[in-house]
mmCIF file of all heavy atoms in Angstrom:
data_model
loop_
_atom_site.group_PDB
_atom_site.id
_atom_site.type_symbol
_atom_site.label_atom_id
_atom_site.label_comp_id
_atom_site.label_asym_id
_atom_site.label_seq_id
_atom_site.Cartn_x
_atom_site.Cartn_y
_atom_site.Cartn_z
ATOM 1 N N LYS H 349 -12.861 -7.649 17.714
ATOM 2 C CA LYS H 349 -13.284 -7.056 16.462
ATOM 3 C C LYS H 349 -12.550 -5.756 16.264
ATOM 4 O O LYS H 349 -12.047 -5.504 15.145
ATOM 5 C CB LYS H 349 -14.745 -6.822 16.490
ATOM 6 C CG LYS H 349 -15.404 -6.315 15.149
ATOM 7 C CD LYS H 349 -16.878 -6.213 15.225
ATOM 8 C CE LYS H 349 -17.433 -5.751 13.902
ATOM 9 N NZ LYS H 349 -18.898 -5.608 13.914
ATOM 10 N N ARG H 350 -12.637 -4.867 17.305
ATOM 11 C CA ARG H 350 -11.895 -3.641 17.270
ATOM 12 C C ARG H 350 -11.621 -3.124 18.614
ATOM 13 O O ARG H 350 -12.329 -3.443 19.591
ATOM 14 C CB ARG H 350 -12.537 -2.644 16.364
ATOM 15 C CG ARG H 350 -13.885 -2.010 16.818
ATOM 16 C CD ARG H 350 -14.471 -1.047 15.814
ATOM 17 N NE ARG H 350 -13.580 0.000 15.516
ATOM 18 C CZ ARG H 350 -12.955 0.185 14.262
ATOM 19 N NH1 ARG H 350 -13.167 -0.770 13.322
ATOM 20 N NH2 ARG H 350 -12.135 1.134 14.015
ATOM 21 N N VAL H 351 -10.612 -2.240 18.721
ATOM 22 C CA VAL H 351 -10.320 -1.606 19.974
ATOM 23 C C VAL H 351 -10.458 -0.094 19.791
ATOM 24 O O VAL H 351 -10.399 0.488 18.755
ATOM 25 C CB VAL H 351 -8.949 -1.903 20.530
ATOM 26 C CG1 VAL H 351 -8.876 -3.366 20.971
ATOM 27 C CG2 VAL H 351 -7.864 -1.481 19.609
ATOM 28 N N PHE H 352 -10.745 0.719 20.892
ATOM 29 C CA PHE H 352 -10.824 2.103 20.886
ATOM 30 C C PHE H 352 -10.439 2.663 22.150
ATOM 31 O O PHE H 352 -10.328 1.888 23.163
ATOM 32 C CB PHE H 352 -12.247 2.545 20.439
ATOM 33 C CG PHE H 352 -13.362 2.184 21.372
ATOM 34 C CD1 PHE H 352 -13.810 3.037 22.307
ATOM 35 C CD2 PHE H 352 -13.888 0.860 21.191
ATOM 36 C CE1 PHE H 352 -14.864 2.611 23.125
ATOM 37 C CE2 PHE H 352 -14.981 0.501 22.023
ATOM 38 C CZ PHE H 352 -15.461 1.332 23.011
ATOM 39 N N ILE H 353 -10.057 3.934 22.189
ATOM 40 C CA ILE H 353 -9.568 4.550 23.421
ATOM 41 C C ILE H 353 -10.532 5.545 23.958
ATOM 42 O O ILE H 353 -11.340 6.194 23.194
ATOM 43 C CB ILE H 353 -8.122 5.132 23.224
ATOM 44 C CG1 ILE H 353 -8.202 6.244 22.142
ATOM 45 C CG2 ILE H 353 -7.133 4.068 22.907
ATOM 46 C CD1 ILE H 353 -6.864 7.106 22.108
ATOM 47 N N GLU H 354 -10.471 5.743 25.286
ATOM 48 C CA GLU H 354 -11.209 6.797 25.953
ATOM 49 C C GLU H 354 -10.276 7.518 26.930
ATOM 50 O O GLU H 354 -9.480 6.805 27.553
ATOM 51 C CB GLU H 354 -12.514 6.292 26.698
ATOM 52 C CG GLU H 354 -13.618 5.956 25.702
ATOM 53 C CD GLU H 354 -14.933 5.573 26.374
ATOM 54 O OE1 GLU H 354 -14.941 5.456 27.601
ATOM 55 O OE2 GLU H 354 -15.892 5.433 25.590
ATOM 56 N N PRO H 355 -10.275 8.849 27.016
ATOM 57 C CA PRO H 355 -11.194 9.754 26.233
ATOM 58 C C PRO H 355 -10.733 9.770 24.772
ATOM 59 O O PRO H 355 -9.512 9.634 24.480
ATOM 60 C CB PRO H 355 -10.986 11.093 26.883
ATOM 61 C CG PRO H 355 -9.627 11.017 27.586
ATOM 62 C CD PRO H 355 -9.454 9.618 28.007
ATOM 63 N N THR H 356 -11.701 9.953 23.905
ATOM 64 C CA THR H 356 -11.415 9.956 22.431
ATOM 65 C C THR H 356 -10.611 11.179 22.014
ATOM 66 O O THR H 356 -9.906 11.169 21.033
ATOM 67 C CB THR H 356 -12.733 9.850 21.600
ATOM 68 O OG1 THR H 356 -13.541 10.851 22.040
ATOM 69 C CG2 THR H 356 -13.329 8.460 21.751
ATOM 70 N N ASN H 357 -10.804 12.246 22.795
ATOM 71 C CA ASN H 357 -10.165 13.505 22.413
ATOM 72 C C ASN H 357 -8.832 13.653 23.142
ATOM 73 O O ASN H 357 -8.341 14.852 23.384
ATOM 74 C CB ASN H 357 -11.036 14.708 22.642
ATOM 75 C CG ASN H 357 -11.440 14.771 24.125
ATOM 76 O OD1 ASN H 357 -11.209 13.875 24.932
ATOM 77 N ND2 ASN H 357 -12.044 15.984 24.566
ATOM 78 N N VAL H 358 -8.171 12.591 23.600
ATOM 79 C CA VAL H 358 -6.893 12.742 24.301
ATOM 80 C C VAL H 358 -5.857 13.479 23.417
ATOM 81 O O VAL H 358 -5.898 13.326 22.232
ATOM 82 C CB VAL H 358 -6.410 11.315 24.698
ATOM 83 C CG1 VAL H 358 -6.043 10.448 23.493
ATOM 84 C CG2 VAL H 358 -5.174 11.311 25.653
ATOM 85 N N THR H 359 -5.025 14.232 24.087
ATOM 86 C CA THR H 359 -4.088 15.089 23.385
ATOM 87 C C THR H 359 -2.779 14.299 23.143
ATOM 88 O O THR H 359 -2.238 13.814 24.158
ATOM 89 C CB THR H 359 -3.771 16.417 24.139
ATOM 90 O OG1 THR H 359 -5.070 16.984 24.403
ATOM 91 C CG2 THR H 359 -2.977 17.395 23.274
ATOM 92 N N PRO H 360 -2.244 14.284 21.921
ATOM 93 C CA PRO H 360 -0.918 13.582 21.850
ATOM 94 C C PRO H 360 0.124 14.537 22.371
ATOM 95 O O PRO H 360 -0.017 15.729 22.403
ATOM 96 C CB PRO H 360 -0.749 13.504 20.316
ATOM 97 C CG PRO H 360 -1.590 14.618 19.697
ATOM 98 C CD PRO H 360 -2.743 14.806 20.637
ATOM 99 N N LEU H 361 1.206 13.906 22.915
ATOM 100 C CA LEU H 361 2.310 14.739 23.443
ATOM 101 C C LEU H 361 3.007 15.526 22.313
ATOM 102 O O LEU H 361 3.351 14.956 21.272
ATOM 103 C CB LEU H 361 3.375 13.747 24.147
ATOM 104 C CG LEU H 361 4.308 14.391 25.077
ATOM 105 C CD1 LEU H 361 3.630 14.919 26.357
ATOM 106 C CD2 LEU H 361 5.405 13.450 25.390
ATOM 107 N N ALA H 362 3.093 16.856 22.495
ATOM 108 C CA ALA H 362 3.694 17.654 21.463
ATOM 109 C C ALA H 362 5.058 17.178 20.961
ATOM 110 O O ALA H 362 5.366 17.127 19.794
ATOM 111 C CB ALA H 362 3.761 19.108 21.915
ATOM 112 N N GLU H 363 5.906 16.730 21.942
ATOM 113 C CA GLU H 363 7.256 16.241 21.610
ATOM 114 C C GLU H 363 7.186 15.015 20.713
ATOM 115 O O GLU H 363 8.005 14.744 19.927
ATOM 116 C CB GLU H 363 8.050 15.992 22.872
ATOM 117 C CG GLU H 363 8.383 17.236 23.736
ATOM 118 C CD GLU H 363 7.341 17.483 24.817
ATOM 119 O OE1 GLU H 363 6.213 17.210 24.562
ATOM 120 O OE2 GLU H 363 7.822 17.989 25.866
ATOM 121 N N ALA H 364 6.137 14.155 21.036
ATOM 122 C CA ALA H 364 6.039 12.930 20.235
ATOM 123 C C ALA H 364 5.636 13.286 18.803
ATOM 124 O O ALA H 364 6.163 12.711 17.831
ATOM 125 C CB ALA H 364 4.934 12.039 20.860
ATOM 126 N N VAL H 365 4.680 14.250 18.615
ATOM 127 C CA VAL H 365 4.314 14.579 17.287
ATOM 128 C C VAL H 365 5.496 15.298 16.542
ATOM 129 O O VAL H 365 5.766 14.940 15.373
ATOM 130 C CB VAL H 365 3.133 15.693 17.411
ATOM 131 C CG1 VAL H 365 2.900 16.348 16.028
ATOM 132 C CG2 VAL H 365 1.905 15.063 17.886
ATOM 133 N N GLN H 366 6.312 16.083 17.243
ATOM 134 C CA GLN H 366 7.473 16.767 16.599
ATOM 135 C C GLN H 366 8.511 15.632 16.181
ATOM 136 O O GLN H 366 9.136 15.742 15.218
ATOM 137 C CB GLN H 366 8.116 17.720 17.598
ATOM 138 C CG GLN H 366 9.160 18.689 17.051
ATOM 139 C CD GLN H 366 8.583 19.527 15.939
ATOM 140 O OE1 GLN H 366 7.449 19.904 15.927
ATOM 141 N NE2 GLN H 366 9.391 19.802 14.904
ATOM 142 N N ALA H 367 8.706 14.657 17.042
ATOM 143 C CA ALA H 367 9.650 13.601 16.764
ATOM 144 C C ALA H 367 9.306 12.915 15.458
ATOM 145 O O ALA H 367 10.097 12.493 14.600
ATOM 146 C CB ALA H 367 9.763 12.609 17.938
ATOM 147 N N ILE H 368 7.897 12.571 15.253
ATOM 148 C CA ILE H 368 7.486 11.946 14.093
ATOM 149 C C ILE H 368 7.774 12.795 12.852
ATOM 150 O O ILE H 368 8.194 12.352 11.768
ATOM 151 C CB ILE H 368 5.941 11.547 14.200
ATOM 152 C CG1 ILE H 368 5.753 10.503 15.298
ATOM 153 C CG2 ILE H 368 5.383 11.151 12.882
ATOM 154 C CD1 ILE H 368 4.305 10.281 15.670
ATOM 155 N N ARG H 369 7.540 14.111 13.005
ATOM 156 C CA ARG H 369 7.738 15.049 11.874
ATOM 157 C C ARG H 369 9.155 15.107 11.443
ATOM 158 O O ARG H 369 9.470 15.347 10.279
ATOM 159 C CB ARG H 369 7.292 16.497 12.243
ATOM 160 C CG ARG H 369 5.734 16.582 12.325
ATOM 161 C CD ARG H 369 5.313 17.985 12.817
ATOM 162 N NE ARG H 369 3.898 18.096 12.871
ATOM 163 C CZ ARG H 369 3.180 19.026 13.483
ATOM 164 N NH1 ARG H 369 3.872 19.950 14.134
ATOM 165 N NH2 ARG H 369 1.859 19.007 13.473
ATOM 166 N N GLU H 370 10.101 14.923 12.457
ATOM 167 C CA GLU H 370 11.531 15.018 12.079
ATOM 168 C C GLU H 370 12.160 13.690 11.725
ATOM 169 O O GLU H 370 13.375 13.619 11.433
ATOM 170 C CB GLU H 370 12.231 15.662 13.297
ATOM 171 C CG GLU H 370 11.827 17.095 13.521
ATOM 172 C CD GLU H 370 12.412 17.638 14.846
ATOM 173 O OE1 GLU H 370 13.073 16.891 15.591
ATOM 174 O OE2 GLU H 370 12.141 18.833 15.112
ATOM 175 N N ALA H 371 11.409 12.672 11.809
ATOM 176 C CA ALA H 371 12.005 11.236 11.678
ATOM 177 C C ALA H 371 12.411 10.960 10.286
ATOM 178 O O ALA H 371 11.851 11.409 9.325
ATOM 179 C CB ALA H 371 10.964 10.217 12.105
ATOM 180 N N ASP H 372 13.478 10.142 10.209
ATOM 181 C CA ASP H 372 13.981 9.526 8.938
ATOM 182 C C ASP H 372 13.265 8.128 8.835
ATOM 183 O O ASP H 372 13.151 7.643 7.714
ATOM 184 C CB ASP H 372 15.419 9.401 8.925
ATOM 185 C CG ASP H 372 16.161 10.702 9.010
ATOM 186 O OD1 ASP H 372 15.899 11.622 8.174
ATOM 187 O OD2 ASP H 372 16.992 10.957 10.051
ATOM 188 N N ALA H 373 12.977 7.595 9.910
ATOM 189 C CA ALA H 373 12.369 6.179 9.943
ATOM 190 C C ALA H 373 11.398 6.105 11.065
ATOM 191 O O ALA H 373 11.682 6.641 12.146
ATOM 192 C CB ALA H 373 13.424 5.199 10.010
ATOM 193 N N ILE H 374 10.236 5.486 10.823
ATOM 194 C CA ILE H 374 9.254 5.147 11.802
ATOM 195 C C ILE H 374 9.032 3.688 11.979
ATOM 196 O O ILE H 374 8.711 3.061 10.904
ATOM 197 C CB ILE H 374 7.933 5.965 11.522
ATOM 198 C CG1 ILE H 374 8.235 7.459 11.562
ATOM 199 C CG2 ILE H 374 6.873 5.644 12.606
ATOM 200 C CD1 ILE H 374 7.072 8.305 10.907
ATOM 201 N N LEU H 375 9.240 3.127 13.105
ATOM 202 C CA LEU H 375 9.102 1.699 13.350
ATOM 203 C C LEU H 375 7.855 1.465 14.262
ATOM 204 O O LEU H 375 7.751 2.058 15.255
ATOM 205 C CB LEU H 375 10.344 1.106 14.039
ATOM 206 C CG LEU H 375 11.589 0.797 13.255
ATOM 207 C CD1 LEU H 375 12.094 1.967 12.453
ATOM 208 C CD2 LEU H 375 12.675 0.232 14.150
ATOM 209 N N CYS H 376 7.166 0.435 13.911
ATOM 210 C CA CYS H 376 6.005 0.063 14.772
ATOM 211 C C CYS H 376 6.136 -1.423 15.077
ATOM 212 O O CYS H 376 6.254 -2.253 14.162
ATOM 213 C CB CYS H 376 4.716 0.314 14.035
ATOM 214 S SG CYS H 376 3.296 0.438 15.148
#
Side-chain angles (χ1 to χ4, degrees):
K349 187 175 182 183
R350 66 183 304 108
V351 292
F352 58 99
I353 60 170
E354 284 188 353
T356 51
N357 62 346
V358 65
T359 310
L361 196 70
E363 293 94 328
V365 170
Q366 193 60 33
I368 292 168
R369 287 178 182 162
E370 293 172 357
D372 299 302
I374 299 166
L375 277 59
C376 201

